[in-house]
Amino acid sequence: MSDTHDHPLDDPAADPFEIAAAAAADIARLTGVDRHDIALTLGSGWGRAAELIGETTAALPATEVTGFSRPALEGHVGTLRSVVTPRGRRVLVIGARTHFYEGHGVRRVVHSVRTAAATGAKTMVLTNGAGGIKHTWRPGQPVLISDHINLTGASPLEGATFIDLTDLYSMRLRDVARSVDPSLDEGVYCQFRGPQYETPAEVHMAKTIGGHIVGMSTALEAIAARQAGMEILGFSLITNMAAGIQTTPLSHQEVIEAGREAEPVISSLLARVIGAL
Ligand code: 8IG
């Protein structure tokens, strides 16, 4: 339990970008790959994509890299991989997301994204499992994120850092994804703090303010990715209809199962999209 105290990102005087640069140096040394072109964070349900994207040239436990935390959740694999695509692009696959609800602060939540930028990645692909609000959606369906509403009350930006978030989830990259699968729908992602799922009233609120997807990740990471100058592509796997849209209680087990069933289809979709970037 001591790592809460000796974690480099927990020192308020530390510079999170210097720690990300140190992490990128660790990755270069441990993978033998100096620079990556694309980074991909795998959320629940998306775990098998790495094998389909290309050849894994190195895989390492995230805990060997400066600033990364032990994964809190079963089903979230704490592995970093370096993958080379058939066209020779280097993809850093991050299987180790830290969630805001873990309570370790936003610096730890966005460390993987800042590290990805420090490895040279210009494109950040963020994936998650989430609840759906649109009635036309079904569990197991992947959708593009078109924009977000950050309901966490937190930000990865510190001080008077005014950053434009227009076209945060790049229209260009969404068009590339739709060129691979024209049937992909899209929606606005609402990041709640969690870890409890929403009440039906909260889902109603999310819908009223323009949301279509409810989840517990991604928005804070997208803000950090934009700050780092990356172009962002976001995917949600709808693993369940949000509370109140679906009338039966939400269970974590059900979410895991929906993810497992959808995994082959969405992993192949994701690999084809990455191949087209
Ligand atoms: I998987 O219904 C998954 N993650 N906030 N709401 C929120 N997060 C989720 C949900 C959901 N399903």
Side-chain angles (χ1 to χ4, degrees):
M1 288 270 82
S2 71
D3 71 351
T4 317
H5 296 288
D6 24 281
H7 194 102
L9 285 162
D10 289 345
D11 173 4
D15 176 352
F17 297 95
E18 273 178 27
I19 296 169
D26 290 340
I27 289 170
R29 177 172 49 80
L30 294 166
T31 64
V33 179
D34 278 349
R35 289 182 65 80
H36 286 83
D37 304 302
I38 298 166
L40 164 64
T41 298
L42 296 177
S44 38
W46 298 90
R48 304 231 76 85
E51 295 134 57
L52 302 175
I53 290 165
E55 184 199 338
T56 297
T57 61
L60 45 124
T63 46
E64 287 182 17
V65 177
T66 302
F68 277 75
S69 311
R70 210 173 304 284
L73 205 66
E74 206 196 323
H76 290 234
V77 193
T79 305
L80 297 175
R81 282 167 213 278
S82 184
V83 176
V84 62
T85 70
R87 286 159 62 189
R89 310 201 70 199
R90 298 286 179 169
V91 184
L92 179 67
V93 181
I94 302 161
R97 173 178 266 143
T98 298
H99 287 88
F100 188 54
Y101 59 68
E102 291 170 48
H104 299 305
V106 191
R107 282 183 170 191
R108 286 221 223 166
V109 171
V110 302
H111 177 61
S112 61
V113 166
R114 287 181 172 151
T115 298
T119 69
K122 299 282 184 274
T123 306
M124 185 75 229
V125 183
L126 297 168
T127 68
N128 60 58
I133 296 179
K134 277 199 202 179
H135 284 274
T136 53
W137 291 349
R138 295 290 171 266
Q141 180 173 349
V143 300
L144 288 164
I145 299 174
S146 58
D147 202 347
H148 80 221
I149 299 174
N150 173 11
L151 297 174
T152 65
S155 170
L157 310 180
E158 300 177 27
T161 311
F162 304 111
I163 294 215
D164 174 66
L165 299 182
T166 310
D167 197 37
L168 181 62
Y169 298 87
S170 163
M171 178 65 90
R172 188 185 78 80
L173 296 182
R174 278 183 277 148
D175 284 342
V176 171
R178 278 186 291 253
S179 74
V180 170
D181 179 358
S183 77
L184 275 171
D185 200 0
E186 62 180 27
V188 173
Y189 182 93
C190 294
Q191 182 175 356
F192 282 82
R193 182 195 177 281
Q196 71 282 356
Y197 294 121
E198 295 70 34
T199 63
E202 287 165 342
V203 170
H204 184 74
M205 176 195 75
K207 182 180 180 178
T208 304
I209 64 177
H212 308 107
I213 307 164
V214 287
M216 304 177 194
S217 67
T218 304
L220 296 171
E221 295 162 42
I223 295 167
R226 166 56 61 92
Q227 179 188 30
M230 292 192 280
E231 197 177 8
I232 298 144
L233 178 62
F235 278 104
S236 288
L237 169 66
I238 305 303
T239 59
N240 57 279
M241 296 315 288
I245 306 289
Q246 115 175 19
T247 48
T248 52
L250 271 53
S251 81
H252 180 61
Q253 198 49 40
E254 182 181 296
V255 159
I256 298 276
E257 272 161 32
R260 197 168 291 147
E261 278 181 33
E263 205 155 48
V265 175
I266 61 169
S267 299
S268 134
L269 165 69
L270 186 54
R272 282 177 289 140
V273 171
I274 300 265
L277 292 178

